[in-house]
Amino acid sequence: MDVKIEESWKEVLKQEFNKSYFASITTFLKAEKMSNKTIYPPGGLIFNAFNTTPFDKVKIVILGQDPYHGPGQAHGLSFSVQKGVPPPPSLINIFKELQNDIGMPIPSHGNLTHWAEQGVLMLNASLTVRANEPMSHSKIGWAEFTDAVIAKVSALKEHTVFLLWGKFAQEKQSLVDETKHLVLKAAHPSPFSADKGFFGCKHFSKANTWLMKQGIDPVDWSLQ
């Protein structure tokens, strides 16, 4: 199957694109479209995380669960929203922790493309969702695909940081070879759990400190 995705990822994931589960995802999404269902993010942004962060540049993985399901929010990067869209509560809490951790001013927008361009893979476990129906595409095969992405990064790269926030993300820890990668775990930044271990986790400074020890450039977490 010829998937429109950045070339280094196309090479790494070519076996996945030829598996039956991926064909099932494609068939399902086409059926949704034929039924006039609204799907987020728009088709051209489904693989935005991969297109913005080539495989060769990945240094940190931030794992989300499901794309935002409201109009204009999701654009293919976990936790991120496009400029002009108010940052959702979890993203606001991420910004609060960044301020607490490294003194970063709270940004005026929630677009995290600047992180992605520096090598932060903003990966959701599901890459699509039906409008106003959270988790509606969580059982269509995306989990198998994104598990394969995590496993490929673990197997083929050295010295990557995995930020696993919340129980769902932490269930992916077994896919990561911790003899060569760093796994940092905390509560999810959701308002329901941020005060149970996300606030104060200092993952952003810890990730950069570890990367620099490996001779890798740190991430500039600021957002202009």
Side-chain angles (χ1 to χ4, degrees):
M1 184 178 297
D2 184 29
V3 177
K4 293 182 175 63
I5 193 171
E6 190 274 334
E7 285 301 319
S8 64
W9 282 110
K10 181 177 278 193
E11 178 62 25
V12 167
L13 298 171
K14 59 186 178 184
Q15 292 177 320
E16 301 305 313
F17 296 138
N18 291 320
K19 291 181 178 177
S20 59
Y21 81 83
F22 198 86
S24 296
I25 293 173
T26 304
T27 300
F28 181 92
L29 293 177
K30 286 178 179 175
E32 292 275 84
K33 195 172 183 180
M34 292 289 288
S35 302
N36 293 317
K37 303 289 187 185
T38 299
I39 304 300
Y40 298 128
L45 293 174
I46 290 174
F47 293 112
N48 192 26
F50 303 91
N51 295 334
T52 311
T53 312
F55 180 80
D56 307 332
K57 289 190 174 182
V58 174
K59 59 177 76 169
I60 295 177
V61 178
I62 296 181
L63 185 65
Q65 190 164 358
D66 205 36
Y68 296 124
H69 52 86
Q73 291 182 306
H75 65 125
L77 304 179
S78 61
F79 295 103
S80 180
V81 291
Q82 304 195 62
K83 288 185 177 180
V85 177
S90 291
L91 184 53
I92 290 172
N93 285 338
I94 290 171
F95 290 156
K96 287 179 179 177
E97 176 57 24
L98 271 161
Q99 187 176 50
N100 173 64
D101 184 5
I102 63 171
M104 187 187 93
I106 300 293
S108 61
H109 65 87
N111 190 317
L112 307 181
T113 299
H114 179 56
W115 297 0
E117 290 172 343
Q118 296 176 78
V120 183
L121 180 65
M122 312 293 298
L123 181 67
N124 275 318
S126 296
L127 298 190
T128 58
V129 69
R130 194 181 299 142
N132 304 315
E133 295 184 43
M135 305 300 291
S136 49
H137 288 180
S138 63
K139 306 293 187 187
I140 71 170
W142 281 130
E144 188 168 350
F145 176 72
T146 51
D147 280 1
V149 171
I150 296 168
K152 292 284 189 183
V153 171
S154 176
L156 300 178
K157 294 190 71 71
E158 306 285 336
H159 311 315
T160 304
V161 182
F162 291 82
L163 303 185
L164 305 183
W165 299 334
K167 182 175 180 290
F168 174 84
Q170 289 163 18
E171 289 172 351
K172 309 297 183 180
Q173 184 174 0
S174 61
L175 299 170
V176 180
D177 180 354
E178 293 184 67
T179 65
K180 60 177 181 171
H181 303 295
L182 176 66
V183 171
L184 295 175
K185 297 187 292 183
H188 194 276
S190 156
F192 300 107
S193 56
D195 60 353
K196 296 179 175 67
F198 180 76
F199 290 141
C201 70
K202 298 189 181 298
H203 278 186
F204 305 98
S205 60
K206 287 177 180 177
N208 274 348
T209 297
W210 189 83
L211 287 173
M212 287 187 287
K213 285 181 179 176
Q214 316 305 321
I216 299 169
D217 289 338
V219 171
D220 171 17
W221 296 108
S222 66
L223 296 172
Q224 305 305 320

